[in-house]
Short mmCIF file of all heavy atoms in Angstrom, two decimals:
data_model
loop_
_atom_site.label_atom_id
_atom_site.label_comp_id
_atom_site.label_asym_id
_atom_site.label_seq_id
_atom_site.Cartn_x
_atom_site.Cartn_y
_atom_site.Cartn_z
N LYS A 37 -12.54 -1.20 13.92
CA LYS A 37 -11.21 -1.80 14.00
C LYS A 37 -11.07 -3.07 13.16
O LYS A 37 -10.03 -3.31 12.55
CB LYS A 37 -10.90 -2.09 15.47
CG LYS A 37 -9.49 -2.57 15.72
CD LYS A 37 -9.22 -2.70 17.19
CE LYS A 37 -9.65 -4.06 17.67
NZ LYS A 37 -9.18 -4.39 19.01
N ASP A 38 -12.12 -3.88 13.11
CA ASP A 38 -12.05 -5.16 12.41
C ASP A 38 -12.67 -5.12 11.01
O ASP A 38 -13.00 -6.15 10.44
CB ASP A 38 -12.71 -6.25 13.25
CG ASP A 38 -14.18 -5.96 13.52
OD1 ASP A 38 -14.62 -4.81 13.31
OD2 ASP A 38 -14.90 -6.88 13.93
N SER A 39 -12.81 -3.94 10.45
CA SER A 39 -13.42 -3.80 9.12
C SER A 39 -12.58 -4.46 8.04
O SER A 39 -11.38 -4.65 8.19
CB SER A 39 -13.60 -2.31 8.79
OG SER A 39 -14.56 -1.73 9.63
N ARG A 40 -13.27 -4.78 6.93
CA ARG A 40 -12.61 -5.38 5.77
C ARG A 40 -12.57 -4.34 4.65
O ARG A 40 -13.62 -3.84 4.24
CB ARG A 40 -13.39 -6.61 5.32
CG ARG A 40 -13.47 -7.69 6.40
CD ARG A 40 -14.23 -8.90 5.94
NE ARG A 40 -13.61 -9.51 4.77
CZ ARG A 40 -12.55 -10.31 4.80
NH1 ARG A 40 -11.99 -10.61 5.94
NH2 ARG A 40 -12.07 -10.83 3.70
N VAL A 41 -11.36 -4.04 4.17
CA VAL A 41 -11.15 -3.01 3.15
C VAL A 41 -10.56 -3.65 1.90
O VAL A 41 -9.55 -4.35 1.97
CB VAL A 41 -10.21 -1.90 3.69
CG1 VAL A 41 -9.90 -0.88 2.62
CG2 VAL A 41 -10.83 -1.23 4.92
N LEU A 42 -11.18 -3.36 0.77
CA LEU A 42 -10.72 -3.85 -0.53
C LEU A 42 -10.29 -2.65 -1.35
O LEU A 42 -11.07 -1.71 -1.53
CB LEU A 42 -11.85 -4.59 -1.25
CG LEU A 42 -11.61 -5.01 -2.69
CD1 LEU A 42 -10.49 -6.06 -2.78
CD2 LEU A 42 -12.90 -5.57 -3.30
N GLU A 43 -9.05 -2.65 -1.82
CA GLU A 43 -8.58 -1.57 -2.69
C GLU A 43 -8.34 -2.12 -4.09
O GLU A 43 -7.51 -3.00 -4.28
CB GLU A 43 -7.30 -0.93 -2.15
CG GLU A 43 -6.90 0.26 -3.00
CD GLU A 43 -5.63 0.96 -2.54
OE1 GLU A 43 -4.92 0.44 -1.65
OE2 GLU A 43 -5.33 2.04 -3.10
N LEU A 44 -9.07 -1.59 -5.04
CA LEU A 44 -8.95 -1.99 -6.44
C LEU A 44 -8.03 -1.01 -7.16
O LEU A 44 -8.29 0.19 -7.17
CB LEU A 44 -10.33 -2.02 -7.10
CG LEU A 44 -11.33 -3.00 -6.48
CD1 LEU A 44 -12.71 -2.81 -7.08
CD2 LEU A 44 -10.84 -4.43 -6.65
N GLY A 45 -6.94 -1.55 -7.72
CA GLY A 45 -5.93 -0.69 -8.33
C GLY A 45 -5.00 -0.15 -7.25
O GLY A 45 -4.72 1.04 -7.17
N CYS A 46 -4.50 -1.05 -6.41
CA CYS A 46 -3.73 -0.65 -5.22
C CYS A 46 -2.30 -0.23 -5.52
O CYS A 46 -1.63 0.33 -4.66
CB CYS A 46 -3.73 -1.77 -4.20
SG CYS A 46 -2.79 -3.24 -4.72
N GLY A 47 -1.82 -0.52 -6.73
CA GLY A 47 -0.43 -0.18 -7.04
C GLY A 47 0.52 -0.87 -6.07
O GLY A 47 0.37 -2.06 -5.77
N GLN A 48 1.47 -0.11 -5.54
CA GLN A 48 2.48 -0.68 -4.66
C GLN A 48 2.10 -0.61 -3.18
O GLN A 48 2.92 -0.80 -2.30
CB GLN A 48 3.83 -0.01 -4.91
CG GLN A 48 4.34 -0.27 -6.31
CD GLN A 48 5.70 0.36 -6.58
OE1 GLN A 48 6.41 0.79 -5.68
NE2 GLN A 48 6.08 0.41 -7.85
N GLY A 49 0.81 -0.34 -2.91
CA GLY A 49 0.33 -0.42 -1.54
C GLY A 49 0.52 0.80 -0.68
O GLY A 49 0.56 0.70 0.55
N SER A 50 0.60 1.99 -1.27
CA SER A 50 0.85 3.19 -0.47
C SER A 50 -0.30 3.48 0.50
O SER A 50 -0.06 3.96 1.61
CB SER A 50 1.13 4.40 -1.36
OG SER A 50 0.03 4.67 -2.20
N LEU A 51 -1.54 3.17 0.12
CA LEU A 51 -2.65 3.40 1.04
C LEU A 51 -2.51 2.52 2.27
O LEU A 51 -2.71 2.97 3.40
CB LEU A 51 -4.01 3.15 0.38
CG LEU A 51 -5.19 3.33 1.33
CD1 LEU A 51 -5.36 4.80 1.70
CD2 LEU A 51 -6.45 2.76 0.75
N LEU A 52 -2.13 1.25 2.08
CA LEU A 52 -1.95 0.36 3.22
C LEU A 52 -0.90 0.92 4.18
O LEU A 52 -1.11 0.91 5.40
CB LEU A 52 -1.54 -1.05 2.77
CG LEU A 52 -1.21 -2.00 3.92
CD1 LEU A 52 -2.45 -2.30 4.77
CD2 LEU A 52 -0.59 -3.27 3.41
N ARG A 53 0.20 1.41 3.64
CA ARG A 53 1.23 1.99 4.51
C ARG A 53 0.64 3.13 5.35
O ARG A 53 0.88 3.22 6.55
CB ARG A 53 2.42 2.47 3.69
CG ARG A 53 3.32 1.35 3.23
CD ARG A 53 4.63 1.83 2.62
NE ARG A 53 4.44 2.56 1.37
CZ ARG A 53 4.21 1.98 0.18
NH1 ARG A 53 4.13 0.66 0.09
NH2 ARG A 53 4.07 2.70 -0.90
N GLY A 54 -0.13 4.00 4.72
CA GLY A 54 -0.74 5.12 5.43
C GLY A 54 -1.73 4.66 6.50
O GLY A 54 -1.78 5.21 7.60
N VAL A 55 -2.52 3.65 6.16
CA VAL A 55 -3.50 3.10 7.10
C VAL A 55 -2.79 2.51 8.31
O VAL A 55 -3.18 2.76 9.46
CB VAL A 55 -4.37 2.04 6.38
CG1 VAL A 55 -5.12 1.16 7.37
CG2 VAL A 55 -5.35 2.71 5.42
N ARG A 56 -1.74 1.73 8.07
CA ARG A 56 -1.01 1.11 9.18
C ARG A 56 -0.27 2.16 10.01
O ARG A 56 -0.23 2.08 11.24
CB ARG A 56 -0.03 0.05 8.67
CG ARG A 56 -0.70 -1.17 8.04
CD ARG A 56 -1.57 -1.94 9.03
NE ARG A 56 -2.04 -3.20 8.47
CZ ARG A 56 -3.29 -3.46 8.13
NH1 ARG A 56 -4.22 -2.54 8.29
NH2 ARG A 56 -3.63 -4.63 7.64
N GLU A 57 0.31 3.17 9.34
CA GLU A 57 1.00 4.24 10.08
C GLU A 57 0.04 5.01 10.97
O GLU A 57 0.43 5.52 12.02
CB GLU A 57 1.71 5.19 9.11
CG GLU A 57 2.95 4.60 8.48
CD GLU A 57 3.52 5.42 7.33
OE1 GLU A 57 3.03 6.56 7.10
OE2 GLU A 57 4.43 4.92 6.66
N ALA A 58 -1.23 5.09 10.56
CA ALA A 58 -2.25 5.76 11.36
C ALA A 58 -2.77 4.87 12.49
O ALA A 58 -3.62 5.28 13.27
CB ALA A 58 -3.41 6.21 10.47
N GLY A 59 -2.25 3.62 12.57
CA GLY A 59 -2.60 2.73 13.65
C GLY A 59 -3.81 1.84 13.40
O GLY A 59 -4.29 1.18 14.32
#
Side-chain angles (χ1 to χ4, degrees):
K37 186 174 87 168
D38 60 344
S39 292
R40 299 181 60 79
V41 176
L42 172 65
E43 185 180 9
L44 299 173
C46 68
Q48 296 181 14
S50 60
L51 178 70
L52 175 66
R53 283 190 294 281
V55 164
R56 293 298 188 250
E57 286 170 8

